[in-house]
Every structure is written in C-alpha cells, then in structure tokens.
C-alpha cells in the first residue's frame, strides 16, 4: 500500500460502483481497477486510492477470512439466527440446520428470539426451554419495546454479523431498530399465509455502533447439507459433546448403536427429543449422499 492509499470495508455494490468506508468512517464511491479479477463481495477489506469528491479506485482485495455463498458475503464472524415468538412460530428444524451450518463454517451463532411482545407459541416455548440451558448464545428481542437491542450491538462490536432465518420473523424491522433511524424497506407479514415476503434485493452490510457491521439478507427456508462425513455430523452439535464420552464405540453415530451416551441423555430428557430428531434427519441426509457417491 502506497502513501496515498487507504484501507476500508466494502459495504455495498450498486450499478457497477463499490461503496467503501475507511477507518475514519468516510465513504467513497469506487470503480474497480482492471487487475482485480475475483468477484468483489460485501464485507471484503480493500485497498483503494481516494480521488476528489469522495471518489476512489479499488486497487486490491485483501485476503478473506471466509466467504459465504448463501448469501454472498465475506469475512463474517457472527450469525444472528432470528426466530419469532409467534407469527410465524419458530421452525425448530430450520433453527437446527442453521446452527449446524454456523458450526460447520466456524461462525459464532446467536439465537435471537424476536417479537417477544407477542404471546409465546408452543414452538417458541420449546426453543426457550432448551437452547439457553444447553449452552447456546441466546437473546430475547422486541422492536416494540427495544428489548435486547443493546445486547446485540454489544456482541457485534468489531465484527461482521449476518442475519439468518425465515421470512416474517422481523429481520428487517430488527435491523431498522439497530440502525437508529437508517430505515430498510420492510413488508408486512402476509396474513393469508402467516409468513413474510422477501424484501431484500441485494446483500449490503450496515454500520452498527462504533465498529460493528451487520448484513441484511434474503429470508430462506431450505438449506442443503454441506459435504461432511456421517462420522462427523455430531461434532456440529455442541450440546451432544459431553455425552459422547459415555458411548461404547468411539465411532458411534448415536443412531442404532447400543450403549450410546447421547441416546441415554435423550431418554433422560437432558437432550430434547426434537433436537435429537433433527440430528437424525440431517445424519440420514448425509448417509444418503454418501451412498450416492460410492
């Protein structure tokens, strides 16, 4: 990096321009230098040459810590998995798949139970009863009375966080509240189907507080399992770990084997039955994939 060049974070791409914020929080509208061949993503750290009137030229994309594909974003640290008290009720299947993917991608997951001003649904009660006690990061929020917003700002300071979760749980409304007056387009939940419609059209990260960033991303409900061995699926269920020492076999899949510590914990009610059922569903998908590629 030469004397007149700066480093910054790319927070948006729009109509062929890349918008970069430097360390002094100045924003530059940049064109890309032809020597950069790889796709530039929101979250990328870049070297750029500032020009007059807040314009600039992107010179180099710095090495990425990681790269997500759904959504396309770089250098993510934290995943905020948003579920709602109700309207819609939480999908515990989707929650466990998102927790699995966060662990697989070495991201720190936080379960955010939003719309806590509403009456708690049965699924929300199950979520609330199990995950905090099982050691998962957990925050209750409401944009109506500002519950939990300061906690979210605190945990994402100095990081890039990404939202995940189904439509209608209040991701955009929660983002609006975190941004303190920098509104993002929202749509009302469809009363007919009980879910929200996708409102996000591109990936953009927004500054939160003094040093954090957060991405608004499209809602989704189907996530494919990554390329992982059936022997390793349980490694991404951290609440299983302390019970695996009680398994008779070192390579126990916690499925059909006898003398299994995980199954014993399920029978005793320590591991929730729905959590174990979701594990078996994912394990079966991985086993089926392995058979297809033999």
């Amino acid at each position: 990096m030469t004397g007149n060049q700066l480093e910054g974070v790319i927070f948006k791409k729009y109509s062929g321009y890349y918008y970069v914020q430097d360390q002094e929080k100045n924003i530059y509208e940049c064109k890309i230098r032809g020597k950069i061949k790889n796709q530039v993503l929101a979250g990328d750290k870049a070297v750029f040459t500032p020009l007059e009137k807040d314009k600039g030229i992107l010179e180099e994309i710095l090495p990425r810590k990681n790269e997500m594909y759904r959504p396309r974003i770089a250098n993510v640290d934290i995943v905020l998995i948003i579920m709602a008290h109700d309207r819609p009720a939480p999908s515990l299947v989707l929650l466990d798949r998102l927790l699995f993917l966060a662990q697989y991608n070495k991201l720190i997951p936080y379960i955010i139970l939003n719309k806590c001003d509403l009456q708690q649904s049965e699924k929300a009660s199950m979520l609330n009863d199990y995950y905090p006690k099982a050691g998962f990061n957990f925050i209750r929020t409401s944009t109506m009375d500002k519950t939990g917003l300061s906690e979210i700002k605190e945990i994402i300071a100095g990081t890039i966080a990404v939202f995940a979760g189904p439509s209608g749980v209040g991701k955009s409304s929660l983002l609006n509240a975190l941004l303190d007056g920098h509104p993002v387009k929202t749509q009302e939940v469809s009363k007919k189907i009980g879910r929200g419609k996708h409102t996000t059209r591109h990936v953009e990260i927004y500054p939160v507080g003094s040093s954090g960033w957060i991405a608004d991303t499209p809602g989704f409900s189907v996530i494919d399992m990554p390329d992982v061995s059936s022997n390793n699926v349980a490694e991404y269920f951290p609440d299983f770990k302390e019970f695996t020492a009680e398994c008779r076999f070192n390579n126990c899949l916690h499925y059909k084997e006898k003398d299994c510590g995980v199954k014993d914990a399920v029978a005793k009610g320590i591991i929730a039955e729905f959590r174990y059922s979701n594990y078996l569903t994912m394990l079966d998908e991985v086993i089926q994939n392995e058979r297809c590629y033999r």
Side-chain angles (χ1 to χ4, degrees):
M1 187 169 70
T2 63
N4 65 329
Q5 293 180 338
L6 299 174
E7 288 188 15
V9 176
I10 297 171
F11 63 89
K12 179 173 67 171
K13 174 188 176 183
Y14 186 73
S15 295
Y17 289 94
Y18 298 87
Y19 293 84
V20 184
Q21 180 173 292
D22 69 10
Q23 296 175 352
E24 303 299 324
K25 300 190 181 302
N26 300 309
I27 294 175
Y28 296 83
E29 182 184 74
C30 296
K31 281 287 192 178
I32 192 169
R33 185 76 73 182
K35 66 181 180 180
I36 299 178
K37 302 301 182 183
N38 294 335
Q39 182 179 6
V40 180
L41 304 177
D44 271 328
K45 297 179 180 179
V47 175
F48 67 99
T49 301
L51 305 175
E52 60 181 10
K53 297 182 180 180
D54 297 327
K55 306 293 184 181
I57 300 293
L58 285 184
E59 305 286 356
E60 178 186 2
I61 302 301
L62 299 176
R64 294 169 179 159
K65 179 171 68 175
N66 58 38
E67 177 181 342
M68 296 181 65
Y69 292 90
R70 299 176 67 179
R72 294 301 301 274
I73 186 171
N75 298 316
V76 176
D77 303 287
I78 291 174
V79 179
L80 304 176
I81 303 173
I82 317 297
M83 294 289 161
H85 246 206
D86 200 8
R87 286 188 260 167
S91 167
L92 301 178
V93 172
L94 177 59
L95 172 60
D96 282 340
R97 293 177 83 91
L98 290 169
L99 287 169
F100 179 95
L101 287 175
Q103 297 285 343
Y104 178 81
N105 288 288
K106 300 180 180 179
L107 305 175
I108 301 172
Y110 278 80
I111 301 171
I112 310 297
L113 187 57
N114 195 30
K115 300 188 181 182
C116 287
D117 51 286
L118 299 178
Q119 185 174 353
Q120 185 171 242
S121 65
E122 180 181 357
K123 290 291 181 66
S125 178
M126 295 166 66
L127 187 159
N128 206 14
D129 288 344
Y130 181 70
Y131 293 93
K133 295 176 184 177
F136 290 90
N137 299 315
F138 185 85
I139 299 175
R140 293 166 55 87
T141 59
S142 168
T143 58
M144 298 296 292
D145 56 19
K146 310 301 182 185
T147 299
L149 299 183
S150 59
E151 292 179 68
I152 294 180
K153 290 180 180 180
E154 183 177 340
I155 64 171
I156 67 175
T159 73
I160 294 178
V162 61
F163 278 138
S167 296
V169 294
K171 295 191 297 295
S172 292
S173 296
L174 188 57
L175 180 59
N176 288 337
L178 291 170
L179 296 181
D180 298 323
H182 182 176
V184 179
K185 181 181 178 182
T186 60
Q187 292 181 337
E188 292 185 358
V189 176
S190 168
K191 294 181 180 179
K192 182 176 180 181
I193 61 175
R195 316 187 256 115
K197 298 179 180 180
H198 295 176
T199 60
T200 307
R201 294 293 178 250
H202 63 275
V203 177
E204 179 175 351
I205 62 173
Y206 300 88
V208 176
S210 60
S211 61
W213 294 89
I214 193 163
D216 188 25
T217 57
F220 47 82
S221 58
V222 178
I223 301 176
D224 297 329
M225 292 296 291
D227 185 16
V228 60
S229 166
S230 56
N231 290 320
N232 301 125
V233 173
E235 294 179 9
Y236 304 105
F237 284 70
D239 44 330
F240 288 13
K241 185 175 180 181
E242 66 176 288
F243 305 106
T244 58
E246 304 300 322
C247 294
R248 179 178 179 182
F249 304 104
N250 291 333
N251 61 346
C252 184
L253 295 180
H254 322 301
Y255 184 21
K256 298 180 179 180
E257 300 89 345
K258 296 181 179 179
D259 301 326
C260 171
V262 171
K263 291 198 293 184
D264 287 346
V266 175
K268 294 175 182 177
I270 302 173
I271 295 174
E273 289 188 11
F274 70 82
R275 172 77 169 162
Y276 178 65
S277 177
N278 291 340
Y279 162 77
L280 290 181
T281 297
M282 286 183 265
L283 176 65
D284 185 64
E285 288 182 39
V286 171
I287 291 173
Q288 294 302 321
N289 288 338
E290 289 176 339
R291 289 173 179 169
C292 289
Y293 289 100
R294 283 177 181 172

